[in-house]
Structures are given as structure tokens and as C-alpha cells.
Amino acid sequence: MAVQRAASPRRPPAPLWPRLLLPLLLLLLPAPSEGLGHSAELAFAVEPSDDVAVPGQPIVLDCRVEGTPPVRITWRKNGVELPESTHSTLLANGSLMIRHFRLEPGGSPSDEGDYECVAQNRFGLVVSRKARIQAATMSDFHVHPQATVGEEGGVARFQCQIHGLPKPLITWEKNRVPIDTDNERYTLLPKGVLQITGLRAEDGGIFHCVASNIASIRISHGARLTVSDGRPIGVEGIQVLGTGNLIISDVTVQHSGVYVCAANRPGTRVRRTAQGRLVVQAPAEFVQHPQSISRPAGTTAMFTCQAQGEPPPHVTWLKNGQVLGPGGHVRLKNNNSTLTISGIGPEDEAIYQCVAENSAGSSQASARLTVLWAEGLPGPPRNVRAVSVSSTEVRVSWSEPLANTKEIIGYVLHIRKAADPPELEYQEAVSKSTFQHLVSDLEPSTAYSFYIKAYTPRGASSASVPTLASTLGEAPAPPPLSVRVLGSSSLQLLWEPWPRLAQHEGGFKLFYRPASKTSFTGPILLPGTVSSYNLSQLDPTAVYEVKLLAYNQHGDGNATVRFVSLRGASERTALSPPCDCRKEEAANQTSTTGIVIGIHIGVTCIIFCVLFLLFGQRGRVLLCKDVENQLSPPQGPRSQRDPGILALNGARRGQRGQLGRDEKRVDMKELEQLFPPASAAGQPDPRPTQDPAAPAPCEETQLSVLPLQGCGLMEGKTTEAKTTEATAPCAGLAAAPPPPDGGPGLLSEGQASRPAAARVTQPAHSEQ
């Protein structure tokens, strides 16, 4: 357990006689009326500051004020005025002395709290910054040092933690003797850490942590130890203590940031890092103080103060010591840093204070507003009345002031919407002989505020009592209208909807008639949210007059008139159906859908056509092969073969070699008998006779003749030119003229050749 003992003789407690003598000296100081400064401005020369008091001992809170006497000084505790008593005494110089500071004794209130010094003279009142007074305390140790074993030449660390107010001073003892802090190997770090570097055998012993403040002294448990010099890191005020401890002296806001500690294991490339964020709190301080100003009555006064701190301070304003909030002619802007007072009067003359406060502390700055008044100024205009004349005009009337009216040179009427802030008001000048004014160009159904001032060469009077008046309402404006012809007997009317009409018991009225008639059909009442209407069953030959107007509780507005002719619409309707504009979008969607479906159908058809051509070509080749198989190998005597199925063998070269040469000659003879040559009978063939054993002269060309009912085209495949032709150049065959009966023509040998009907070059490919 923690041991509590009185201070040892080597650390005697601070003597109390300086604290007791100070109040006696302060009592001898001159009284406020004798020693206060005589500056015109009421301000604080010394303000109370935060302090920590020892229970049972006296404490003095300083306060000194400068200003025009007489100055009255009082004190507040937690915002409430502190009565003078035997327990707390107001000293002659304005300071406050508490004779015996109390910390919640039985039944008595504690003296802890926030204290403010309040000074007042005939010009106003100021309040000092808040001074927080707390009682000195000391808790037990939260963390005691622990026994440790260190190697010679190594590092040992002891740590202790304790809370107190004020912050306890931490020292260390070894074997009940204070540690010699002059030893460079012993480093005392913040937060109660003792670090010993370069351990030696004589460093062993029992260590105690000693914490002390003005309230008490605490000694920790003992911790046995068995067997820090700094270098800068490049930033002013920051040093590394010992083997890796960072200490920052005289911390400022600029030291806030992230600090990274990096360590390498000796002899390896292993590297470890750790980081921590430092946030330095700073009490509020002013960058710009408010300045005292003097302004004529009726004008605008503005005070500005800007404060900084960490965390950012909150700004409030006081008027003669009372919190001042926005409202009326007082406005706060820019996070309360700007105070604006419009239309100032004698009641606004005061001392204004800007108070900036955050968790680290508070600051205040004051400024005085003086309202300038000239002698003999007229009083405020009287009996101000405002009466609505129309939806855009209000008549304002008044009576002249009671006193000092001879020097009046005119009046100024101040006008603004009742819902607008004061800075949005505007003015209109009126001659001195006129006691009424017609204000125009106002908005219908709107409340306005009016007040008047009388002006003389020396200044303006105070403002009259403001009065309110609302302009009258008015009927709506003509609505924009367009007309569409839907067909030979129907029209569509279009306009913009006005939802506000429904708020004023209004809507639309629609009238229409043939131009040749005198009476209208209607009114057709429509709500303000409707934006179209269709007219049907009209006379196709007539010209129609259409009239649309808006109405509200104030009456009917002016109408919008359109003339439209239906003549000729019937002819247009015969060519195209009537257009229903409400269905155009659906029709467009349907048309788009039809186009998409048509594209799909077209693509499908193209695919089927390509497949049909591919399979048709392959079917024709198979058919030709089938006919070839039927014609090439004879299955019986020639007399039994079908005379209608005759063909030249279209097999490949190797297949022709398998056939008998005699059969080929027989086939050729049969063809010559069926299709005699064009030369005269009996004339010898001019072509040389080939040896039956010799190869055919047209070995590179293969011809096929299909049955008429199976194939109507003779194909020639040339392996060199890779050309498909409608002729047979090697065999001397040509397309025969059609027979007289119009039947299909046949191929004959020796007929006169005609130009080829078509020639299509194809890429080379292997034959099947």
C-alpha cells in the first residue's frame, strides 16, 4: 500500500508566512476611489487568473480597474453576485480575499468555482475573464514501480502514475536517498518515468517514487533493481533523451502533429515504427480586439473581434455584463465575431464585451459605444399610421414632433418587409411640409414595417414607433395559352399549372365559341394544378375563339384569347389520323419497339438465307455425285440404261483411271449419236483422233451434265484459274439455242460458241 508521511527535514514544506503577509499588504493599498486609474475608458488593468487553493488557507483573487471614477467593483461566483461576508472580503484595490478556502466541509458550500470581477461606472459595466479556482488535491498512486532485472550496460526503466492538483512533482529515491540527477546516466522523464542507461553493479537497490504538491506528499511502493544527455532532432525545443525518449520543452500549438519513432535491430535490417499524435491545447486569445466607437443616433454601429485557440474558441457578447443575443436591431454574424446594431438610440449606449472561451481557458475584450446627440433635436414623429391603398401601395401618415420643429428640413420614411432583417430596409425622403407619403411598388398580400425620423441640419431625431400594414391582394395575371389541332373536330389547350391558386381559393376558367356566334360556352372551372384540356365535337368548318383566365379570392384576372381555325383539318385528317398529343409518347415507344422487332426479323431472314445457300450448294454437289455414281459404273447392258440419263464422267482423275477406256469411248459415241455435230454429215472431224490409251486432252477440266430435271447448269472447274464458267471450252461445247417449244436447251458438240453468260472467280480450294 502507499505510504503517506510528512515531509522529511531535507524537503521542508513551503512556509505559510508569505501567503499570510500578502493579504495584510493588500489591505494597506489605497481604496478604489484613490488608486484607480483615471482613464476615460473603463477597463481592467489586472484580471483574476486560474489558481489552485489549499483547503484551510487563504487565497487572493487579483482585480485592478482603470476608468473614470467613481468605479464600483463587485464579484460573481458561477455567474451569481457574491455578497461580502466575513468569509470573503473585498480588498481596497478591488481584489477578493477568501480567508479560509473550503472544500466541501460538512454542511458548508465549497469555494471552488468560476469567479468574475465586475466593474461599473456611469458609462457602463465590464466583466473580467473567468478565473477557475480549484482545491489542491492528491490521489493515491495508480501505477507503482515494478522490480526489474537489467544486464550490465543495458537500460532499466521505472514508472509511476499519480493524479493531483496542482500537478504533482515527481522525484525518485534509491535506498531512501534522493537520486542524484546530476548523474548523466539517470534521466527523469515526464509522467513519472525514471530511466537508467549504461547499467552498472552499483546501480542495484530499492527505488521509490515520491510525488508532492501543495496539498500533500505521497511515496510509492519500493521496486528492486538487480544486476539520459540529449541530442537535437532538428526542431527547436525538442530533444531526444536517453536512448529514444523525446522531450519537448515549452510546448506551443506549433508542436501539434504526428511524431514517428523508428527503431532498427542491431545487425539486421528489421525496422519497426510507432507513431503518436500530439494535440496542444491553447487558451483563447484575441487576434483582433473590438474598438470603442461613437456614432450618431439612428445610424448603425458595428463591433468586430476575432479569437484563436485550440480547440477553436466560442465567442459570446455581453452588454453591460449581460449576455447579448441576436434579435430586433441586434445581429451576430461570422460565428458571432461581428456584432451589428442598427438604428442605435440612447438605450444602446453601453460597454460591449467579446468573450472567447474554450476548454483551455477564456479571454475577454471590451469596447464602448457612445451615441451622439445634438442639443435641440426634434422628438420622434407622432401618430404614425399606415393604410393599404391597393395591392402594391400603402399610404403612411404622421404628425410632426412635439418640440424643436423649427429646424426640421425633412422626414425620412424607413420601409422593409416585416419578415426581412433590419439591414434590408430602404428609405424614401419626404419634404418637411408633407405629413403623408404614398409608398408604391410593393408586393401584393405582403406585410411591411414603417417608421419615420425627422432631420435637421444638426442630425436626426429618434425613430418613431414602427407600424405595420399589409398590401391588398390582387387577381392573377393572364395565363400563357397555346392551342393544338388534334383533328377535324377537336382541339387541345395547353398552359402552365399554378399550384398557388389552390392556396388562394382559385383556379382557371375556360370559355370557347365559334367566332360567328355571340355567346360563349362556359365557364369550365378547372383547378390550379391542371395544365391542359381537350375540346371535341367541334364544327370542322368553323373558326373558334378560346379564352382562358385565372381567378382567386380577389376576383378574375385578365383572360388570354386565342383564335384557331379547323378548316382544312378534315383533309389533313384523311391523310393521317388525328394526333392525340397525350399518346405521342406511347406511339413513339410502339414505333421504336416495331423497329427493333423488324431489325430482329431481318437479321433472322439473312441468317436463314445464308444457311439455305450453304446447304443448297452442298445438296447440289451431293446430287451431282449421286448422278455420277448412277452413270459411271454401268449396272447392265447399254440397252437397259435409261437414255435420258447420259453424262460425261465427272469423277476425279484417279477415279477415271479406274474406269475402262472402252466405256468412255462408248459414252462419247452415244453423245455424238444423240447430239450430232454442227458440221455437215459425212465430213470428217477436223480434230485429231486420240489414242484410246492416251490421256484425255482436257485433263485439267472436269465437266458434268446432269439430268434436265435435276440440274439446269453445267459447271466447269479449272484448277489453274479456279474459275466457274457457264461454257465448256476444251470440249468445244456451247449452250444450244432453246428448242422451238420453249423447253430447256441442251449442250451439243460442235455448235457455234456464244459468249459466256457469267464468270465468277473463286479462291482456290481443295475438291471434295
Side-chain angles (χ1 to χ4, degrees), residues 572-714:
R572 293 193 299 271
T573 303
L575 297 177
S576 60
C579 171
D580 187 352
C581 298
R582 293 182 177 275
K583 297 182 180 179
E584 285 183 356
E585 183 177 358
N588 291 336
Q589 294 178 355
T590 303
S591 176
T592 303
T593 304
I595 292 173
V596 173
I597 293 175
I599 292 174
H600 288 180
I601 294 175
V603 172
T604 304
C605 291
I606 292 173
I607 294 173
F608 274 107
C609 290
V610 172
L611 294 176
F612 177 79
L613 292 176
L614 291 176
F615 283 103
Q617 176 69 17
R618 183 169 182 82
R620 182 170 60 184
V621 173
L622 294 176
L623 178 59
C624 293
K625 285 182 177 291
D626 185 64
V627 174
E628 171 188 323
N629 293 334
Q630 295 179 16
L631 297 179
S632 297
Q635 301 297 329
R638 292 291 178 183
S639 59
Q640 297 179 2
R641 296 178 58 183
D642 187 354
I645 304 178
L646 302 175
L648 287 174
N649 190 351
R652 284 178 290 185
R653 183 181 306 174
Q655 294 174 341
R656 288 199 304 271
Q658 298 175 3
L659 299 178
R661 306 295 181 180
D662 295 338
E663 292 180 342
K664 182 177 294 186
R665 287 196 298 270
V666 171
D667 291 340
M668 293 297 297
K669 291 180 179 180
E670 290 178 351
L671 286 175
E672 291 176 358
Q673 292 176 0
L674 291 174
F675 308 105
S679 59
Q683 293 182 357
D685 191 351
R687 293 176 299 175
T689 303
Q690 294 182 349
D691 184 2
C698 282
E699 201 60 40
E700 295 300 324
T701 303
Q702 303 171 8
L703 301 178
S704 298
V705 177
L706 302 181
L708 299 182
Q709 63 273 24
C711 293
L713 176 67
M714 183 184 70

Side-chain angles (χ1 to χ4, degrees), residues 200-238:
R200 301 173 183 173
E202 60 267 23
D203 293 327
I206 298 177
F207 290 81
H208 290 87
C209 176
V210 181
S212 61
N213 66 5
I214 60 175
S216 181
I217 297 177
R218 296 280 193 273
I219 299 179
S220 72
H221 297 167
R224 180 177 294 276
L225 171 62
T226 303
V227 195
S228 239
D229 334 26
R231 62 182 184 276
I233 66 170
V235 180
E236 183 178 359
I238 302 180

